[in-house]
């Protein structure tokens, strides 16, 4: 317990850093994932192509490489932001590709007749998608989206290698201070467990309220 009690403020700062990264990145991933899902199922060919490229490139790019591209590449084009903002951008964009595919799989479970009925009533594509298709698809994709956001929380550990305050990065300071490395990582693992269990509990409630009855 000495490792935790003697360095509670350090652990707390790292824990809050990971929570902030997770929250901001999740918000960005959900927004981009929704937009790219709309592109993927759009009747406009150029939008479908853009959505396909976005998902294909990001899903097949290692996250660490994406961090390097964002952290080192964007400043060369004049975009200078705090490291935390770059980390959110990298995590959010990467995760959005998986959110997109989860939503698209949910859309595929909605009967085609639903969309055809909406179009026969004169509804536009955006109206059909937002009012008819996505509300039904959302019920089936709650578990996979929850799993994706749990993975995002754990992936945020990569940000520590780029001078971003987060939970895993606390081991460097504690190691330099001579604390037992095993217990250092035990308490780090407990912190991540709290975060991931929190996300899991939230999506369990969502699934219980809105999920498809089995």
């Amino acid at each position: 317990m000495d490792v935790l009690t003697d360095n509670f403020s350090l652990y707390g700062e790292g824990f809050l850093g990971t929570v902030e990264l997770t929250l901001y990145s999740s918000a960005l991933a959900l927004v981009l994932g929704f937009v790219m899902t709309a592109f993927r199922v759009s009747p406009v060919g150029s939008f479908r192509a853009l959505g396909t490229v976005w998902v294909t490139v990001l899903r097949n790019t290692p996250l660490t490489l994406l961090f390097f591209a964002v952290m080192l590449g964007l400043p060369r084009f004049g975009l200078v932001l705090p490291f935390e903002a770059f980390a959110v951008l990298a995590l959010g964009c990467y995760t959005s590709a998986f959110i997109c595919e989860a939503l698209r799989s949910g859309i595929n479970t909605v009967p085609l007749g639903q969309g055809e009925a909406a179009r026969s009533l004169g509804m536009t594509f955006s109206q059909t998608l937002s009012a008819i298709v996505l509300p039904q698809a959302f019920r089936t994709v709650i578990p996979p989206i929850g799993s994706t956001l749990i993975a995002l929380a754990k992936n945020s550990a990569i940000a520590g290698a780029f001078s971003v305050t987060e939970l895993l990065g606390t081991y460097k300071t504690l190691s330099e201070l001579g604390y037992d490395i095993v217990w250092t990582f035990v308490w780090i693992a407990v912190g991540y467990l709290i975060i991931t269990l929190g996300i899991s509990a939230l999506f369990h409630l969502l699934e219980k309220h809105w999920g498809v009855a089995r």
Side-chain angles (χ1 to χ4, degrees):
M1 288 294 293
D2 289 346
V3 177
L4 179 64
T5 55
D6 293 348
N7 302 279
F8 192 78
S9 60
L10 180 63
Y11 272 114
E13 185 180 1
F15 181 83
L16 290 177
T18 295
V19 170
E20 289 180 356
L21 274 177
T22 301
L23 288 175
Y24 295 145
S25 301
S26 296
L28 179 60
L30 289 170
V31 171
L32 286 176
F34 171 80
V35 171
M36 289 302 153
T37 301
F39 282 5
R40 291 273 278 169
V41 299
S42 171
V44 181
S46 57
F47 284 172
R48 289 199 306 273
L50 177 59
T52 300
V53 170
W54 179 273
V55 170
T56 302
V57 170
L58 289 175
R59 288 183 71 193
N60 292 285
T61 300
L63 182 54
T64 304
L65 181 60
L66 184 60
F67 262 90
F68 275 110
V70 170
M71 295 283 190
L72 304 179
L74 292 183
R76 292 178 177 270
F77 294 95
L79 182 59
V80 180
L81 296 171
F83 284 164
E84 290 79 5
F86 279 135
V88 168
L89 186 61
L91 282 169
C93 289
Y94 178 79
T95 308
S96 70
F98 296 90
I99 296 290
C100 172
E101 288 302 275
L103 286 172
R104 192 169 70 92
S105 68
I107 289 174
N108 289 335
T109 66
V110 178
L112 291 174
Q114 297 283 327
E116 293 173 352
R119 287 192 294 271
S120 69
L121 294 173
M123 297 179 69
T124 64
F125 169 76
S126 59
Q127 290 173 331
T128 302
L129 188 65
S130 60
I132 305 297
V133 178
L134 280 179
Q136 296 182 70
F138 175 72
R139 300 177 64 198
T140 65
V141 300
I142 294 174
I145 288 180
S147 297
T148 301
L149 295 185
I150 287 174
L152 183 154
K154 294 183 288 186
N155 287 339
S156 67
I158 297 176
F162 297 89
S163 303
V164 176
T165 301
E166 52 79 43
L167 189 56
L168 184 60
T170 58
Y171 90 90
K172 299 176 185 176
T173 302
L174 295 176
S175 178
E176 292 171 357
L177 293 174
Y179 285 97
D180 189 315
I181 194 67
V182 173
W183 282 106
T184 296
F185 279 109
V186 165
W187 292 114
I188 289 174
V190 169
Y192 278 107
L193 187 62
I194 292 172
I195 294 171
T196 55
L197 287 179
I199 297 172
S200 179
L202 173 61
F203 277 84
H204 177 72
L205 290 175
L206 292 175
E207 185 178 9
K208 186 176 180 181
H209 187 71
W210 280 302
V212 176
R214 302 293 181 185

